[in-house]
Amino acid sequence: MLSEVRLMNVLPKLVSTTVKTLPRNGLVRHSSHFVYQPDAKSPVDGPTQKMNMFQAINQAMDIALEQNDSALVFGEDVAFGGVFRCSMGLQKKYGKHRVFNTPLCEQGIAGFAIGVANTGAKAIAEMQFADYIFPAFDQIVNEAAKYRYRSGNLYDCGSLTFRAPCGAVGHGACYHSQSPEAYFAHTPGLKVVVPRGPNKAKGLLLACVKDSDPCIVFEPKTLYRAAVEEVPVGAFESPIGKADILRSGTDITLVGWGTQVHVLQEVANMAKTQLDVSCEVIDLVSILPWDKETICNSVKKTGRVMIAHEAPLTNGFGAELAATIQEECFLHLESPVLRVTGWDTPFPHVFEPFYIPDKHRCLAGIRKLINY
């Protein structure tokens, strides 16, 4: 076993060789484990503007506030722009009565949002970090999600949207890095989506604001500034419940969402170059409901599938995908369904590079399936 002194000498070398370094304006960033892949095609026709993901989200909320006089944006520190600057300038433009701060109480934010939504107003509530959404779990799962059902469709929370920054960021540790989508995917009455970049973030947020059910948008926080692409300046919506095939392939299906999609796209290139393996890469986009048809059709074509997500392995949403694929595609499979995920431990700080399902672990997974 390594001594403490020796471990401290070895660890920096291990981290430096494991973490992807990205040049940015002459600097090297050591915290990114992925290379961002912008969408090749604009989601709709019309003029576009280059923006990052937090700017696209800001524009989506701006449009929602402009289109509906009842729309409200609220949460911890949103009045000055929020910790990730997603609501910058909105209070100045629309006033303190429509964009405002709340107390540091997620349960109270959710409860207030439910009440606002029940009056018919468009409520866009921010949870400052997805890690802190758990005090609001009861309000979201037992109240918002069930309102339509238990009132016999007399009332609903269909104009309610929660935004929550999630996922690994390079230095967030156990309270600022979690991916809690699977907790909420077990709840009928909710819709849960995860964008991979600016176009999806804007389109999904506007779709959620107009949806007839309460929605949660989990936004990978590492993409707020790292993800940059040409985004339509007008209003548009991305369909909830529809996966995107980002790359067609014949040998294996790779499924992910959020930041992991970009890891899988890089891995697909590596697999082609190093293993001569053709990968089909799918962004699930929507966790609840999820696009069973697109996933199963792809697996029936390729015969192999690897699911990758940052959340822990046990009961992660990949388990639901794996179970469905086994039920629907069993006779088409050439190998078992494989999951490459975070470990069943709290999210670490200095050991984050060894926790996340990076390109090296994913490539090893592909090699395992091909050689099965």
mmCIF file of all heavy atoms in Angstrom, residues 198-244:
data_model
loop_
_atom_site.group_PDB
_atom_site.id
_atom_site.type_symbol
_atom_site.label_atom_id
_atom_site.label_comp_id
_atom_site.label_asym_id
_atom_site.label_seq_id
_atom_site.Cartn_x
_atom_site.Cartn_y
_atom_site.Cartn_z
ATOM 1 N N PRO A 198 -26.120 24.679 -25.949
ATOM 2 C CA PRO A 198 -26.978 25.864 -26.015
ATOM 3 C C PRO A 198 -28.285 25.675 -26.775
ATOM 4 O O PRO A 198 -29.346 26.121 -26.311
ATOM 5 C CB PRO A 198 -26.078 26.898 -26.715
ATOM 6 C CG PRO A 198 -24.692 26.461 -26.405
ATOM 7 C CD PRO A 198 -24.734 24.966 -26.381
ATOM 8 N N ASN A 199 -28.247 25.056 -27.963
ATOM 9 C CA ASN A 199 -29.471 24.884 -28.738
ATOM 10 C C ASN A 199 -30.499 24.059 -27.983
ATOM 11 O O ASN A 199 -31.678 24.415 -27.911
ATOM 12 C CB ASN A 199 -29.158 24.238 -30.097
ATOM 13 C CG ASN A 199 -28.690 25.243 -31.122
ATOM 14 O OD1 ASN A 199 -29.366 26.230 -31.407
ATOM 15 N ND2 ASN A 199 -27.514 25.017 -31.682
ATOM 16 N N LYS A 200 -30.060 22.929 -27.435
ATOM 17 C CA LYS A 200 -30.971 22.081 -26.686
ATOM 18 C C LYS A 200 -31.455 22.769 -25.414
ATOM 19 O O LYS A 200 -32.612 22.631 -25.012
ATOM 20 C CB LYS A 200 -30.304 20.746 -26.344
ATOM 21 C CG LYS A 200 -30.370 19.727 -27.450
ATOM 22 C CD LYS A 200 -31.818 19.305 -27.718
ATOM 23 C CE LYS A 200 -31.925 18.456 -28.962
ATOM 24 N NZ LYS A 200 -33.326 18.110 -29.277
ATOM 25 N N ALA A 201 -30.579 23.502 -24.753
ATOM 26 C CA ALA A 201 -30.956 24.179 -23.507
ATOM 27 C C ALA A 201 -32.066 25.194 -23.755
ATOM 28 O O ALA A 201 -33.055 25.244 -23.017
ATOM 29 C CB ALA A 201 -29.738 24.864 -22.894
ATOM 30 N N LYS A 202 -31.930 25.976 -24.794
ATOM 31 C CA LYS A 202 -32.952 26.976 -25.104
ATOM 32 C C LYS A 202 -34.248 26.305 -25.543
ATOM 33 O O LYS A 202 -35.339 26.637 -25.056
ATOM 34 C CB LYS A 202 -32.451 27.922 -26.197
ATOM 35 C CG LYS A 202 -33.470 29.002 -26.574
ATOM 36 C CD LYS A 202 -32.914 29.962 -27.617
ATOM 37 C CE LYS A 202 -33.970 30.994 -28.023
ATOM 38 N NZ LYS A 202 -33.453 31.958 -29.012
ATOM 39 N N GLY A 203 -34.143 25.369 -26.479
ATOM 40 C CA GLY A 203 -35.341 24.718 -27.009
ATOM 41 C C GLY A 203 -36.095 23.914 -25.967
ATOM 42 O O GLY A 203 -37.327 23.936 -25.907
ATOM 43 N N LEU A 204 -35.358 23.187 -25.112
ATOM 44 C CA LEU A 204 -36.002 22.389 -24.077
ATOM 45 C C LEU A 204 -36.643 23.262 -23.005
ATOM 46 O O LEU A 204 -37.746 22.965 -22.524
ATOM 47 C CB LEU A 204 -34.997 21.438 -23.434
ATOM 48 C CG LEU A 204 -34.554 20.241 -24.278
ATOM 49 C CD1 LEU A 204 -33.405 19.511 -23.600
ATOM 50 C CD2 LEU A 204 -35.720 19.290 -24.533
ATOM 51 N N LEU A 205 -35.965 24.339 -22.612
ATOM 52 C CA LEU A 205 -36.527 25.216 -21.586
ATOM 53 C C LEU A 205 -37.829 25.853 -22.064
ATOM 54 O O LEU A 205 -38.823 25.898 -21.330
ATOM 55 C CB LEU A 205 -35.507 26.291 -21.189
ATOM 56 C CG LEU A 205 -35.942 27.270 -20.088
ATOM 57 C CD1 LEU A 205 -36.447 26.533 -18.857
ATOM 58 C CD2 LEU A 205 -34.796 28.205 -19.722
ATOM 59 N N LEU A 206 -37.854 26.326 -23.307
ATOM 60 C CA LEU A 206 -39.085 26.922 -23.833
ATOM 61 C C LEU A 206 -40.189 25.874 -23.987
ATOM 62 O O LEU A 206 -41.371 26.162 -23.774
ATOM 63 C CB LEU A 206 -38.802 27.601 -25.174
ATOM 64 C CG LEU A 206 -38.014 28.909 -25.078
ATOM 65 C CD1 LEU A 206 -37.645 29.436 -26.467
ATOM 66 C CD2 LEU A 206 -38.814 29.975 -24.316
ATOM 67 N N ALA A 207 -39.814 24.640 -24.324
ATOM 68 C CA ALA A 207 -40.809 23.566 -24.414
ATOM 69 C C ALA A 207 -41.370 23.240 -23.037
ATOM 70 O O ALA A 207 -42.580 23.015 -22.882
ATOM 71 C CB ALA A 207 -40.181 22.327 -25.042
ATOM 72 N N CYS A 208 -40.511 23.222 -22.026
ATOM 73 C CA CYS A 208 -40.954 22.938 -20.665
ATOM 74 C C CYS A 208 -41.897 24.015 -20.138
ATOM 75 O O CYS A 208 -42.892 23.712 -19.468
ATOM 76 C CB CYS A 208 -39.748 22.802 -19.743
ATOM 77 S SG CYS A 208 -38.804 21.278 -19.979
ATOM 78 N N VAL A 209 -41.585 25.264 -20.430
ATOM 79 C CA VAL A 209 -42.424 26.373 -19.965
ATOM 80 C C VAL A 209 -43.843 26.246 -20.515
ATOM 81 O O VAL A 209 -44.820 26.595 -19.843
ATOM 82 C CB VAL A 209 -41.799 27.727 -20.376
ATOM 83 C CG1 VAL A 209 -42.778 28.870 -20.169
ATOM 84 C CG2 VAL A 209 -40.515 27.979 -19.585
ATOM 85 N N LYS A 210 -43.978 25.710 -21.713
ATOM 86 C CA LYS A 210 -45.294 25.579 -22.342
ATOM 87 C C LYS A 210 -45.949 24.221 -22.112
ATOM 88 O O LYS A 210 -47.101 24.017 -22.507
ATOM 89 C CB LYS A 210 -45.172 25.830 -23.851
ATOM 90 C CG LYS A 210 -44.835 27.261 -24.208
ATOM 91 C CD LYS A 210 -44.886 27.478 -25.718
ATOM 92 C CE LYS A 210 -44.616 28.929 -26.080
ATOM 93 N NZ LYS A 210 -44.681 29.165 -27.545
ATOM 94 N N ASP A 211 -45.229 23.302 -21.477
ATOM 95 C CA ASP A 211 -45.752 21.942 -21.341
ATOM 96 C C ASP A 211 -46.897 21.880 -20.331
ATOM 97 O O ASP A 211 -47.007 22.715 -19.424
ATOM 98 C CB ASP A 211 -44.633 20.993 -20.913
ATOM 99 C CG ASP A 211 -44.974 19.539 -21.162
ATOM 100 O OD1 ASP A 211 -44.788 19.089 -22.307
ATOM 101 O OD2 ASP A 211 -45.447 18.872 -20.228
ATOM 102 N N SER A 212 -47.733 20.873 -20.488
ATOM 103 C CA SER A 212 -48.908 20.728 -19.619
ATOM 104 C C SER A 212 -48.596 19.997 -18.325
ATOM 105 O O SER A 212 -49.497 19.779 -17.504
ATOM 106 C CB SER A 212 -50.020 19.987 -20.376
ATOM 107 O OG SER A 212 -49.565 18.714 -20.803
ATOM 108 N N ASP A 213 -47.357 19.592 -18.108
ATOM 109 C CA ASP A 213 -46.944 18.926 -16.874
ATOM 110 C C ASP A 213 -45.756 19.663 -16.264
ATOM 111 O O ASP A 213 -45.008 20.333 -16.971
ATOM 112 C CB ASP A 213 -46.534 17.476 -17.155
ATOM 113 C CG ASP A 213 -47.713 16.604 -17.564
ATOM 114 O OD1 ASP A 213 -48.708 16.583 -16.825
ATOM 115 O OD2 ASP A 213 -47.645 15.966 -18.632
ATOM 116 N N PRO A 214 -45.554 19.537 -14.944
ATOM 117 C CA PRO A 214 -44.364 20.142 -14.324
ATOM 118 C C PRO A 214 -43.091 19.488 -14.851
ATOM 119 O O PRO A 214 -43.046 18.269 -15.044
ATOM 120 C CB PRO A 214 -44.560 19.867 -12.830
ATOM 121 C CG PRO A 214 -45.522 18.729 -12.763
ATOM 122 C CD PRO A 214 -46.406 18.851 -13.961
ATOM 123 N N CYS A 215 -42.079 20.301 -15.091
ATOM 124 C CA CYS A 215 -40.840 19.832 -15.721
ATOM 125 C C CYS A 215 -39.626 20.202 -14.879
ATOM 126 O O CYS A 215 -39.626 21.212 -14.172
ATOM 127 C CB CYS A 215 -40.679 20.452 -17.105
ATOM 128 S SG CYS A 215 -41.988 20.063 -18.288
ATOM 129 N N ILE A 216 -38.597 19.371 -14.982
ATOM 130 C CA ILE A 216 -37.293 19.679 -14.397
ATOM 131 C C ILE A 216 -36.252 19.673 -15.508
ATOM 132 O O ILE A 216 -36.169 18.708 -16.277
ATOM 133 C CB ILE A 216 -36.888 18.651 -13.326
ATOM 134 C CG1 ILE A 216 -37.956 18.532 -12.248
ATOM 135 C CG2 ILE A 216 -35.548 19.048 -12.700
ATOM 136 C CD1 ILE A 216 -37.649 17.465 -11.199
ATOM 137 N N VAL A 217 -35.490 20.747 -15.601
ATOM 138 C CA VAL A 217 -34.389 20.826 -16.557
ATOM 139 C C VAL A 217 -33.090 20.739 -15.767
ATOM 140 O O VAL A 217 -32.727 21.670 -15.044
ATOM 141 C CB VAL A 217 -34.424 22.136 -17.373
ATOM 142 C CG1 VAL A 217 -33.318 22.126 -18.429
ATOM 143 C CG2 VAL A 217 -35.780 22.348 -18.018
ATOM 144 N N PHE A 218 -32.409 19.615 -15.869
ATOM 145 C CA PHE A 218 -31.097 19.472 -15.244
ATOM 146 C C PHE A 218 -30.047 19.950 -16.235
ATOM 147 O O PHE A 218 -29.866 19.369 -17.308
ATOM 148 C CB PHE A 218 -30.829 18.016 -14.859
ATOM 149 C CG PHE A 218 -31.598 17.562 -13.640
ATOM 150 C CD1 PHE A 218 -32.561 16.577 -13.736
ATOM 151 C CD2 PHE A 218 -31.349 18.132 -12.407
ATOM 152 C CE1 PHE A 218 -33.272 16.160 -12.617
ATOM 153 C CE2 PHE A 218 -32.056 17.727 -11.278
ATOM 154 C CZ PHE A 218 -33.026 16.743 -11.389
ATOM 155 N N GLU A 219 -29.343 21.030 -15.867
ATOM 156 C CA GLU A 219 -28.393 21.683 -16.764
ATOM 157 C C GLU A 219 -26.956 21.348 -16.347
ATOM 158 O O GLU A 219 -26.527 21.759 -15.260
ATOM 159 C CB GLU A 219 -28.597 23.203 -16.724
ATOM 160 C CG GLU A 219 -29.999 23.632 -17.133
ATOM 161 C CD GLU A 219 -30.360 25.048 -16.718
ATOM 162 O OE1 GLU A 219 -29.510 25.715 -16.070
ATOM 163 O OE2 GLU A 219 -31.488 25.490 -17.019
ATOM 164 N N PRO A 220 -26.205 20.602 -17.155
ATOM 165 C CA PRO A 220 -24.810 20.296 -16.793
ATOM 166 C C PRO A 220 -23.993 21.576 -16.658
ATOM 167 O O PRO A 220 -23.755 22.284 -17.631
ATOM 168 C CB PRO A 220 -24.321 19.447 -17.974
ATOM 169 C CG PRO A 220 -25.573 18.867 -18.572
ATOM 170 C CD PRO A 220 -26.603 19.939 -18.418
ATOM 171 N N LYS A 221 -23.592 21.866 -15.441
ATOM 172 C CA LYS A 221 -23.004 23.180 -15.161
ATOM 173 C C LYS A 221 -21.671 23.406 -15.864
ATOM 174 O O LYS A 221 -21.307 24.540 -16.163
ATOM 175 C CB LYS A 221 -22.866 23.384 -13.651
ATOM 176 C CG LYS A 221 -21.865 22.484 -12.980
ATOM 177 C CD LYS A 221 -21.780 22.762 -11.485
ATOM 178 C CE LYS A 221 -22.908 22.112 -10.726
ATOM 179 N NZ LYS A 221 -22.826 20.633 -10.695
ATOM 180 N N THR A 222 -20.940 22.337 -16.147
ATOM 181 C CA THR A 222 -19.654 22.495 -16.830
ATOM 182 C C THR A 222 -19.832 22.984 -18.259
ATOM 183 O O THR A 222 -18.886 23.472 -18.874
ATOM 184 C CB THR A 222 -18.869 21.168 -16.810
ATOM 185 O OG1 THR A 222 -17.511 21.411 -17.189
ATOM 186 C CG2 THR A 222 -19.480 20.136 -17.750
ATOM 187 N N LEU A 223 -21.067 22.863 -18.793
ATOM 188 C CA LEU A 223 -21.337 23.298 -20.161
ATOM 189 C C LEU A 223 -21.760 24.767 -20.247
ATOM 190 O O LEU A 223 -21.846 25.310 -21.347
ATOM 191 C CB LEU A 223 -22.441 22.436 -20.785
ATOM 192 C CG LEU A 223 -22.149 20.943 -20.956
ATOM 193 C CD1 LEU A 223 -23.351 20.246 -21.598
ATOM 194 C CD2 LEU A 223 -20.903 20.726 -21.800
ATOM 195 N N TYR A 224 -22.035 25.404 -19.118
ATOM 196 C CA TYR A 224 -22.529 26.782 -19.164
ATOM 197 C C TYR A 224 -21.641 27.688 -20.011
ATOM 198 O O TYR A 224 -22.125 28.491 -20.813
ATOM 199 C CB TYR A 224 -22.631 27.361 -17.754
ATOM 200 C CG TYR A 224 -23.886 26.966 -17.010
ATOM 201 C CD1 TYR A 224 -23.826 26.575 -15.681
ATOM 202 C CD2 TYR A 224 -25.134 27.015 -17.622
ATOM 203 C CE1 TYR A 224 -24.970 26.220 -14.985
ATOM 204 C CE2 TYR A 224 -26.288 26.673 -16.937
ATOM 205 C CZ TYR A 224 -26.205 26.269 -15.616
ATOM 206 O OH TYR A 224 -27.342 25.918 -14.932
ATOM 207 N N ARG A 225 -20.328 27.547 -19.859
ATOM 208 C CA ARG A 225 -19.391 28.376 -20.628
ATOM 209 C C ARG A 225 -18.623 27.574 -21.678
ATOM 210 O O ARG A 225 -18.221 28.119 -22.702
ATOM 211 C CB ARG A 225 -18.406 29.077 -19.680
ATOM 212 C CG ARG A 225 -19.068 30.189 -18.876
ATOM 213 C CD ARG A 225 -18.159 30.721 -17.775
ATOM 214 N NE ARG A 225 -18.763 31.875 -17.122
ATOM 215 C CZ ARG A 225 -19.719 31.801 -16.202
ATOM 216 N NH1 ARG A 225 -20.177 30.628 -15.810
ATOM 217 N NH2 ARG A 225 -20.222 32.898 -15.656
ATOM 218 N N ALA A 226 -18.428 26.287 -21.428
ATOM 219 C CA ALA A 226 -17.649 25.467 -22.357
ATOM 220 C C ALA A 226 -18.407 25.182 -23.648
ATOM 221 O O ALA A 226 -17.797 24.977 -24.698
ATOM 222 C CB ALA A 226 -17.257 24.154 -21.688
ATOM 223 N N ALA A 227 -19.735 25.151 -23.581
ATOM 224 C CA ALA A 227 -20.559 24.843 -24.754
ATOM 225 C C ALA A 227 -20.917 26.117 -25.495
ATOM 226 O O ALA A 227 -21.612 26.981 -24.977
ATOM 227 C CB ALA A 227 -21.832 24.117 -24.319
ATOM 228 N N VAL A 228 -20.427 26.235 -26.714
ATOM 229 C CA VAL A 228 -20.678 27.421 -27.546
ATOM 230 C C VAL A 228 -21.104 26.960 -28.937
ATOM 231 O O VAL A 228 -20.458 26.091 -29.532
ATOM 232 C CB VAL A 228 -19.418 28.306 -27.656
ATOM 233 C CG1 VAL A 228 -19.693 29.518 -28.539
ATOM 234 C CG2 VAL A 228 -18.945 28.741 -26.278
ATOM 235 N N GLU A 229 -22.182 27.521 -29.449
ATOM 236 C CA GLU A 229 -22.614 27.212 -30.812
ATOM 237 C C GLU A 229 -23.536 28.308 -31.335
ATOM 238 O O GLU A 229 -23.913 29.228 -30.609
ATOM 239 C CB GLU A 229 -23.294 25.838 -30.876
ATOM 240 C CG GLU A 229 -24.481 25.676 -29.975
ATOM 241 C CD GLU A 229 -24.898 24.208 -29.837
ATOM 242 O OE1 GLU A 229 -24.147 23.312 -30.261
ATOM 243 O OE2 GLU A 229 -25.987 23.961 -29.282
ATOM 244 N N GLU A 230 -23.871 28.206 -32.604
ATOM 245 C CA GLU A 230 -24.792 29.150 -33.230
ATOM 246 C C GLU A 230 -26.231 28.774 -32.834
ATOM 247 O O GLU A 230 -26.680 27.665 -33.089
ATOM 248 C CB GLU A 230 -24.643 29.114 -34.750
ATOM 249 C CG GLU A 230 -23.316 29.663 -35.260
ATOM 250 C CD GLU A 230 -23.189 31.168 -35.078
ATOM 251 O OE1 GLU A 230 -24.239 31.856 -35.080
ATOM 252 O OE2 GLU A 230 -22.053 31.655 -34.930
ATOM 253 N N VAL A 231 -26.926 29.732 -32.207
ATOM 254 C CA VAL A 231 -28.269 29.478 -31.680
ATOM 255 C C VAL A 231 -29.261 30.423 -32.358
ATOM 256 O O VAL A 231 -29.010 31.628 -32.457
ATOM 257 C CB VAL A 231 -28.304 29.698 -30.155
ATOM 258 C CG1 VAL A 231 -29.704 29.416 -29.606
ATOM 259 C CG2 VAL A 231 -27.272 28.821 -29.460
ATOM 260 N N PRO A 232 -30.392 29.909 -32.831
ATOM 261 C CA PRO A 232 -31.424 30.788 -33.403
ATOM 262 C C PRO A 232 -31.842 31.850 -32.388
ATOM 263 O O PRO A 232 -32.043 31.534 -31.212
ATOM 264 C CB PRO A 232 -32.573 29.830 -33.715
ATOM 265 C CG PRO A 232 -31.925 28.499 -33.893
ATOM 266 C CD PRO A 232 -30.772 28.478 -32.941
ATOM 267 N N VAL A 233 -31.981 33.084 -32.846
ATOM 268 C CA VAL A 233 -32.317 34.169 -31.928
ATOM 269 C C VAL A 233 -33.802 34.196 -31.579
ATOM 270 O O VAL A 233 -34.198 34.749 -30.550
ATOM 271 C CB VAL A 233 -31.895 35.542 -32.514
ATOM 272 C CG1 VAL A 233 -30.390 35.607 -32.660
ATOM 273 C CG2 VAL A 233 -32.578 35.788 -33.858
ATOM 274 N N GLY A 234 -34.631 33.617 -32.409
ATOM 275 C CA GLY A 234 -36.066 33.601 -32.148
ATOM 276 C C GLY A 234 -36.472 32.471 -31.225
ATOM 277 O O GLY A 234 -35.650 31.664 -30.783
ATOM 278 N N ALA A 235 -37.763 32.398 -30.937
ATOM 279 C CA ALA A 235 -38.301 31.338 -30.091
ATOM 280 C C ALA A 235 -38.416 30.033 -30.872
ATOM 281 O O ALA A 235 -38.812 30.034 -32.040
ATOM 282 C CB ALA A 235 -39.665 31.748 -29.548
ATOM 283 N N PHE A 236 -38.052 28.944 -30.257
ATOM 284 C CA PHE A 236 -38.245 27.609 -30.836
ATOM 285 C C PHE A 236 -38.282 26.602 -29.694
ATOM 286 O O PHE A 236 -37.825 26.884 -28.585
ATOM 287 C CB PHE A 236 -37.142 27.247 -31.836
ATOM 288 C CG PHE A 236 -35.784 27.049 -31.212
ATOM 289 C CD1 PHE A 236 -35.350 25.779 -30.833
ATOM 290 C CD2 PHE A 236 -34.934 28.124 -30.999
ATOM 291 C CE1 PHE A 236 -34.104 25.592 -30.261
ATOM 292 C CE2 PHE A 236 -33.682 27.948 -30.424
ATOM 293 C CZ PHE A 236 -33.265 26.678 -30.062
ATOM 294 N N GLU A 237 -38.841 25.453 -29.956
ATOM 295 C CA GLU A 237 -38.961 24.414 -28.935
ATOM 296 C C GLU A 237 -38.341 23.112 -29.425
ATOM 297 O O GLU A 237 -38.462 22.763 -30.595
ATOM 298 C CB GLU A 237 -40.436 24.175 -28.579
ATOM 299 C CG GLU A 237 -41.119 25.400 -27.993
ATOM 300 C CD GLU A 237 -42.615 25.201 -27.820
ATOM 301 O OE1 GLU A 237 -43.045 24.039 -27.608
ATOM 302 O OE2 GLU A 237 -43.358 26.194 -27.909
ATOM 303 N N SER A 238 -37.680 22.418 -28.512
ATOM 304 C CA SER A 238 -37.159 21.076 -28.785
ATOM 305 C C SER A 238 -38.115 20.067 -28.169
ATOM 306 O O SER A 238 -38.541 20.241 -27.025
ATOM 307 C CB SER A 238 -35.760 20.898 -28.187
ATOM 308 O OG SER A 238 -34.835 21.775 -28.796
ATOM 309 N N PRO A 239 -38.467 19.023 -28.884
ATOM 310 C CA PRO A 239 -39.468 18.078 -28.373
ATOM 311 C C PRO A 239 -38.998 17.342 -27.125
ATOM 312 O O PRO A 239 -37.857 16.884 -27.048
ATOM 313 C CB PRO A 239 -39.668 17.110 -29.550
ATOM 314 C CG PRO A 239 -38.443 17.247 -30.389
ATOM 315 C CD PRO A 239 -37.989 18.655 -30.235
ATOM 316 N N ILE A 240 -39.887 17.245 -26.154
ATOM 317 C CA ILE A 240 -39.626 16.468 -24.948
ATOM 318 C C ILE A 240 -39.993 15.017 -25.239
ATOM 319 O O ILE A 240 -41.037 14.728 -25.808
ATOM 320 C CB ILE A 240 -40.453 17.007 -23.766
ATOM 321 C CG1 ILE A 240 -40.052 18.455 -23.461
ATOM 322 C CG2 ILE A 240 -40.281 16.126 -22.532
ATOM 323 C CD1 ILE A 240 -40.948 19.148 -22.451
ATOM 324 N N GLY A 241 -39.119 14.091 -24.860
ATOM 325 C CA GLY A 241 -39.397 12.677 -25.080
ATOM 326 C C GLY A 241 -38.812 12.118 -26.364
ATOM 327 O O GLY A 241 -39.083 10.975 -26.722
ATOM 328 N N LYS A 242 -37.981 12.911 -27.036
ATOM 329 C CA LYS A 242 -37.398 12.486 -28.307
ATOM 330 C C LYS A 242 -35.875 12.512 -28.233
ATOM 331 O O LYS A 242 -35.267 13.551 -27.973
ATOM 332 C CB LYS A 242 -37.877 13.397 -29.446
ATOM 333 C CG LYS A 242 -37.367 12.999 -30.817
ATOM 334 C CD LYS A 242 -37.872 11.636 -31.242
ATOM 335 C CE LYS A 242 -37.376 11.258 -32.636
ATOM 336 N NZ LYS A 242 -37.702 9.846 -32.967
ATOM 337 N N ALA A 243 -35.247 11.357 -28.466
ATOM 338 C CA ALA A 243 -33.785 11.268 -28.476
ATOM 339 C C ALA A 243 -33.233 11.733 -29.814
ATOM 340 O O ALA A 243 -33.944 11.753 -30.821
ATOM 341 C CB ALA A 243 -33.345 9.835 -28.196
ATOM 342 N N ASP A 244 -31.956 12.101 -29.822
ATOM 343 C CA ASP A 244 -31.279 12.546 -31.049
ATOM 344 C C ASP A 244 -30.169 11.563 -31.424
ATOM 345 O O ASP A 244 -29.311 11.252 -30.595
ATOM 346 C CB ASP A 244 -30.649 13.926 -30.857
ATOM 347 C CG ASP A 244 -31.685 15.026 -30.691
ATOM 348 O OD1 ASP A 244 -32.822 14.841 -31.149
ATOM 349 O OD2 ASP A 244 -31.343 16.068 -30.088
#
